[in-house]
Amino acid sequence: MNHFDRLLQLLALESAAEEARIVERSKRMSPAQAEQAGDALVDMVADDEDLGLGGRTIVTFVKRNRTLGLPWTRLGTGSPVVITATDPAEAGHVRGVVCERRESTIRVALPERDELPEADVFRLDASRDEVTNERQRSALKRARDGSGERLPKLRRVLLGEHAPEFGAERPLVAEPLDHLNESQQAAIRWAMSAHDVALIHGPPGTGKTTTVVELIRQAVRRGDKVLACAPSNLAVDNLLERLVAKREKAVRLGHPARVMAELREHTLDLLVDNHNDVKLARKLVREARQMFRKAGRYTRARPEPGARREMREEAKQLLADARRMENLAVKDILDRADVLCVTTTGIDDELLADRQFDLVVIDEACQSIEPGCWIPLLRARRIVLAGDHCQLPPTIVSGEAAAGGLSVSLFERLVAQFGNLIARRLDIQYRMHEAIAGFSSAEFYDNALVAHPSVAAHRLVDIPHIAPSTFAESPLEFIDTAGAGYDEELEPDGESRRNSGEADVVAKMVEALTSTGLAANDIAVITPYAAQARLLRERIAVPGVEIDSVDGFQGREKEAVIISLVRSNATGEIGFLADVRRMNVALTRARRKLIVIGDSATLANHPFYGRFLEYVEQHGLYRTVWELDV
């Protein structure tokens, strides 16, 4: 079986597993449990309905009890949802995309021409994106079967059949580059010299996206048309925001509801709406609709033979003219842009037709499954992937698909095949105190990760309003719960694990951090287990403190981070804590203060955690729970 047929098979397994999980959850969970898990919002009513976002209908939902705010939920801007009537007698459902979420309201954009079902009370559920799956399948088939001038060569390189080639490095286009360090500039020069594909390896805090944005700008200065992608809408918006700030001519493709509100004026939909030709086209559409209504209206006077048919034909011609004008407006906007920004799976073939790009850049490439990357790669003359394969891989639901290799990103596979021949690593990080970064640097980055002088020694106590204390001076500590009887447990009616005793310690540490004067919104609590995150949200009622899973916090940072490891048992079982890349993410989110809470007796059986315990002991950063007043 060739590579693409194998990926198609794995993709089918993943799709089936996603569908089965949704069905199983809907059977197993009550509405209240689904809401508690963050996958649904129940007992919702439509509070308002208006037009926006390129002519789509926007519905605002609130709790039926309007005194209640929205609970914590995974449904955020860009999430696909299914809206169903709560009363089974009021059948009907419609799909939509969340375009805004506030404390007590959530706004959903419906597809064009779709309407909300006739009902009083609704339920909103997280939904699968079938369009994404179909685009990935189509891209794999075209990558497998496609010919042409460029695709066969790229395919051979990306399958490891031909080594990537590089030309002579050229100086960067002259302009102030003081915001880039030497390793960043070297990575850009080297990536620009690639004939086929290059990888930029960006460990935590090394300014990977800053480097990617400057790479795009250098390519534009040389006359290239660039397609800038990432797996998530947030990552694409991050690229767009920085490009716009640099005054680059960038256009955002995709559903406007999935774009940050402050960037929507740069979306294709809104740019098209404001185009002079489209304003005229909309006028033609209104005239055509009036003609259709007039042609179908009964009148006392008998019309001339053929008059109704002529009126309908004229209306059809007006609609055809309007469509032509809209298409020309879209082409004009896309032609004038130097950079198109879109998610890897958000590329619409009908919109882009046979448009090709001199450079395709995929940021956060390690968070995408390989089929998703092939959608933009089919349009590339040259490719640059940026990411960190030492952090979390793509999330895969199907164990069989993961075992078959679907969890291995294209970036990771190319690193394994070509190593230093294809990848360049950034080596200066601008986030963490050197004691926080030291362990991950040794474990994952050959001790090559160096803290920039601006962050190497920064601590909480260096923030002007923080009161001096030993606690605020130390950048990293491990709090050992061994022997305290804080045993883990399965969440009632669930499969995820939690640890009540450890949650008490976390609450104490949050209190200790806020008592130093640190603002609550500078604090994050992260844990590998969803059940522990839910428990912590119940225990810690401090507005502003962010509580999430490790997976949900990748790419983020806070001044202070508390990690709750949860696992504590007599057999030394650590479950998916054994995925050390997940811990690499967790350990590298804090800027000035990192607190790790766990049971050393359970953790020490694994070599990675054994080395971490040695690291904190060597640096005098080890405490036991007995030293705390909990």
Side-chain angles (χ1 to χ4, degrees):
M1 182 181 299
N2 70 37
H3 180 72
F4 296 104
D5 287 335
R6 183 176 62 83
L7 287 177
L8 282 165
Q9 187 179 74
L10 297 176
L11 199 59
L13 289 172
E14 176 68 4
S15 182
E18 288 175 348
E19 183 67 32
R21 183 173 71 165
I22 290 173
V23 171
E24 188 272 335
R25 279 188 171 184
S26 67
K27 289 180 179 177
R28 176 170 55 84
M29 289 185 173
S30 67
Q33 288 172 328
E35 186 171 77
Q36 183 187 33
D39 297 322
L41 289 170
V42 301
D43 207 32
M44 306 292 290
V45 297
D47 185 56
D48 190 22
E49 188 172 311
D50 56 19
L51 289 178
L53 299 175
R56 294 172 177 84
T57 299
I58 309 294
V59 182
T60 302
F61 291 94
V62 297
K63 281 288 188 180
R64 180 162 53 169
N65 180 351
R66 294 170 187 263
T67 64
L68 298 177
L70 297 183
W72 175 86
T73 179
R74 299 183 193 281
L75 305 182
T77 300
S79 298
V81 294
V82 174
I83 306 164
T84 54
T86 299
D87 187 344
E90 298 171 325
H93 72 275
V94 65
R95 294 181 180 272
V97 176
V98 176
C99 57
E100 184 182 85
R101 189 186 75 197
R102 296 187 177 180
E103 288 186 6
S104 58
T105 63
I106 187 166
R107 304 181 76 219
V108 180
L110 306 185
E112 293 181 73
R113 296 181 294 279
D114 277 12
E115 297 181 354
L116 197 66
E118 291 289 338
D120 295 323
V121 185
F122 299 93
R123 169 174 170 166
L124 280 61
D125 287 274
S127 168
R128 292 176 64 227
D129 191 343
E130 274 302 322
V131 173
T132 291
N133 289 331
E134 180 51 41
R135 284 174 177 167
Q136 291 180 116
R137 288 190 291 266
S138 176
L140 289 174
K141 292 173 184 176
R142 288 162 58 196
R144 178 193 63 195
D145 303 330
S147 57
E149 181 182 347
R150 192 72 186 106
L151 177 58
K153 170 71 182 302
L154 281 176
R155 183 170 56 211
R156 287 194 298 273
V157 173
L158 294 174
L159 293 183
E161 299 168 358
H162 191 288
E165 298 175 354
F166 296 83
E169 291 187 9
R170 294 156 54 188
L172 299 184
V173 177
E175 61 178 77
L177 296 172
D178 298 343
H179 63 293
L180 298 175
N181 62 49
E182 178 50 39
S183 76
Q184 292 169 330
Q185 294 188 40
I188 295 171
R189 288 193 299 269
W190 175 78
M192 292 289 290
S193 74
H195 290 173
D196 310 296
V197 59
L199 274 55
I200 296 177
H201 180 194
T206 55
K208 171 181 57 60
T209 300
T210 298
T211 306
V212 168
V213 168
E214 189 55 45
L215 166 68
I216 293 169
R217 298 184 70 225
Q218 290 289 323
V220 169
R221 296 295 174 276
R222 296 183 185 182
D224 286 351
K225 292 290 186 178
V226 181
L227 182 63
C229 304
S232 71
N233 285 287
L234 184 61
V236 175
D237 285 350
N238 192 14
L239 289 173
L240 176 65
E241 185 175 34
R242 298 184 190 209
L243 288 167
V244 168
K246 296 287 187 178
R247 301 186 181 280
E248 298 297 337
K249 291 187 286 186
V251 173
R252 177 70 154 92
L253 307 183
H255 198 307
R258 292 188 164 105
V259 180
M260 289 191 298
E262 56 269 32
L263 294 173
R264 285 179 187 155
E265 64 183 285
H266 302 285
T267 61
L268 180 62
D269 286 50
L270 271 65
L271 289 170
V272 167
D273 278 351
N274 293 323
H275 197 283
N276 288 332
D277 290 349
V278 171
K279 291 177 180 177
L280 177 57
R282 300 281 159 81
K283 181 181 177 183
L284 295 181
V285 170
R286 288 193 295 271
E287 291 177 7
R289 287 174 177 168
Q290 288 173 356
M291 284 187 176
F292 277 123
R293 285 195 293 269
K294 186 176 180 181
R297 190 180 301 133
Y298 175 80
T299 60
R300 289 181 178 275
R302 183 173 180 149
E304 291 292 325
R308 292 181 190 275
R309 181 175 57 80
E310 289 177 5
M311 202 177 297
R312 290 192 182 98
E313 288 302 318
E314 185 178 352
K316 288 179 183 177
Q317 186 59 49
L318 286 175
L319 288 177
D321 290 343
R323 279 195 296 271
R324 225 174 357 254
M325 294 175 75
E326 286 192 359
N327 290 338
L328 287 173
V330 168
K331 184 177 184 303
D332 177 55
I333 291 168
L334 296 182
D335 286 346
R336 286 190 286 113
D338 291 322
V339 188
L340 300 186
C341 301
V342 62
T343 60
T344 49
T345 57
I347 295 171
D348 185 339
D349 284 338
E350 184 177 343
L351 178 69
L352 292 184
D354 58 356
R355 193 178 293 263
Q356 294 288 304
F357 297 86
D358 301 296
L359 176 65
V360 168
V361 176
I362 303 180
D363 195 14
E364 305 295 356
C366 296
Q367 295 180 38
S368 171
I369 59 175
E370 184 171 333
C373 287
W374 278 100
I375 302 173
L377 296 188
L378 292 171
R379 299 179 176 276
R381 294 189 179 92
R382 291 179 291 113
I383 303 158
V384 174
L385 307 179
D388 182 11
H389 57 292
C390 299
Q391 296 188 59
L392 281 173
T395 300
I396 305 297
V397 175
S398 166
E400 188 177 353
L406 191 61
S407 61
V408 178
S409 67
L410 176 61
F411 186 107
E412 184 178 0
R413 182 168 66 75
L414 291 175
V415 167
Q417 288 174 330
F418 297 118
N420 292 335
L421 175 63
I422 197 171
R424 290 293 183 273
R425 183 168 60 198
L426 308 179
D427 56 20
I428 298 177
Q429 64 88 9
Y430 297 83
R431 175 185 300 163
M432 297 161 275
H433 187 287
E434 59 187 2
I436 298 174
F439 180 72
S440 284
S441 179
E443 285 289 316
F444 297 98
Y445 308 111
D446 306 315
N447 269 322
L449 203 57
V450 177
H452 188 267
S454 63
V455 302
H458 69 176
R459 304 161 300 167
L460 290 182
V461 75
D462 298 322
I463 299 174
H465 59 275
I466 300 296
S469 67
T470 302
F471 179 71
E473 290 171 358
S474 65
L476 166 67
E477 54 188 277
F478 176 78
I479 298 175
D480 192 357
T481 65
Y486 295 167
D487 294 337
E488 66 187 67
E489 63 178 4
L490 278 175
E491 185 180 37
D493 301 318
E495 299 175 354
S496 184
R497 296 178 184 274
R498 65 185 192 181
N499 190 315
S500 181
E502 198 166 286
D504 290 336
V505 180
V506 172
K508 187 71 175 179
M509 290 299 98
V510 169
E511 182 182 343
L513 287 169
T514 55
S515 67
T516 67
L518 186 65
N521 58 12
D522 285 329
I523 302 169
V525 178
I526 58 179
T527 175
Y529 288 92
Q532 185 74 348
R534 287 190 281 272
L535 178 63
L536 288 166
R537 291 187 193 103
E538 295 174 3
R539 296 278 180 92
I540 301 171
V542 181
V545 173
E546 191 170 355
I547 301 171
D548 207 345
S549 66
V550 177
D551 300 47
F553 218 78
Q554 180 154 301
R556 310 276 311 287
E557 62 183 65
K558 291 280 188 176
E559 296 292 352
V561 171
I562 304 168
I563 303 173
S564 173
L565 295 179
V566 177
R567 299 309 296 259
S568 179
N569 54 71
T571 57
E573 295 290 330
I574 63 170
F576 63 72
L577 287 187
D579 182 354
V580 296
R581 289 187 293 184
R582 177 170 276 106
M583 280 311 299
N584 186 32
V585 173
L587 294 171
T588 55
R589 300 306 98 194
R591 289 174 49 77
R592 299 171 188 265
K593 179 78 173 183
L594 174 65
I595 303 170
V596 183
I597 303 168
D599 181 347
S600 65
T602 300
L603 298 170
N605 293 301
H606 191 283
F608 174 87
Y609 293 97
R611 291 191 295 273
F612 176 70
L613 292 171
E614 289 176 5
Y615 179 85
V616 294
E617 286 187 23
Q618 288 170 1
H619 289 76
L621 307 168
Y622 175 92
R623 299 170 67 189
T624 71
V625 72
W626 308 108
E627 300 172 49
L628 308 177
D629 182 20
V630 295

